[in-house]
C-alpha cells in the first residue's frame, strides 16, 4: 500500500486522472487541513474539509486540489489491487475551476 501526504497551495489542483485496476484498486483521500475540491467527471464538485474521507473507485476519472483561497492537505492512499496503473489526463481548465464557487450549492460550501 502506498500513502502520500499531499499539500496544495491555494488554487493548485492536479490533472484529471484515473486509477486503473483489473481487481481491487482505487484511491482514498483523507482530508487533513484547509479546504479543497474533489470532482468526478460528469458530476458536481464536492467541497473538502478536514476529517472527510473520499473513496474513489477504480476506473473513475477525477481530480482534486485546493480551493482558490485556501491551502489544502490530504493523505492519498493507493488501494492495493491487480494490474494497477494511473492514467494522467488533461488539466482542469482555469475556466471550469474558477466557476466552482458559483456552481456549488450553498449547503456544500465551506
Amino acid at each position: 500500500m502506498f500513502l502520500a501526504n499531499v499539500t496544495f497551495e491555494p488554487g493548485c489542483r492536479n490533472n484529471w486522472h484515473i486509477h486503473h485496476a483489473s481487481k481491487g484498486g482505487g484511491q482514498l483521500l483523507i482530508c487533513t487541513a484547509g479546504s479543497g475540491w474533489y470532482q468526478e467527471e460528469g458530476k458536481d464538485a464536492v467541497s473538502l474539509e478536514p476529517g472527510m474521507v473520499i473513496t474513489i473507485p477504480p476506473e473513475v476519472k477525477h481530480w482534486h486540489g485546493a480551493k482558490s483561497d485556501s491551502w489544502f492537505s490530504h493523505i492519498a492512499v493507493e488501494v492495493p489491487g491487480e494490474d494497477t496503473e494511473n492514467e494522467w489526463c488533461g488539466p482542469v481548465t482555469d475556466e471550469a475551476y474558477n466557476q466552482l464557487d458559483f456552481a456549488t450549492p450553498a449547503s456544500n460550501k465551506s
Side-chain angles (χ1 to χ4, degrees):
M1 182 180 318
F2 175 77
L3 301 167
N5 184 10
V6 182
T7 299
F8 299 87
E9 67 183 17
C12 182
R13 67 266 187 193
N14 54 30
N15 282 5
W16 288 97
H17 59 285
I18 305 166
H19 302 278
H20 295 292
S22 63
K23 183 177 179 183
Q27 184 179 44
L28 295 175
L29 302 180
I30 303 166
C31 305
T32 57
S35 296
W37 293 113
Y38 166 75
Q39 186 173 24
E40 295 180 3
E41 185 175 49
K43 296 186 178 180
D44 290 339
V46 175
S47 179
L48 302 177
E49 301 298 333
M52 293 179 71
V53 177
I54 300 293
T55 302
I56 307 164
E59 309 305 328
V60 173
K61 188 174 182 179
H62 66 282
W63 69 270
H64 33 100
K67 291 188 177 179
S68 61
D69 61 351
S70 178
W71 286 81
F72 177 65
S73 294
H74 64 57
I75 298 171
V77 180
E78 298 293 326
V79 178
E82 295 179 11
D83 303 315
T84 59
E85 177 184 15
N86 292 342
E87 176 185 354
W88 290 96
C89 307
V92 177
T93 65
D94 288 342
E95 180 181 31
Y97 178 81
N98 291 333
Q99 292 298 314
L100 290 177
D101 282 327
F102 303 106
T104 303
S107 61
N108 196 25
K109 285 188 179 181
S110 61

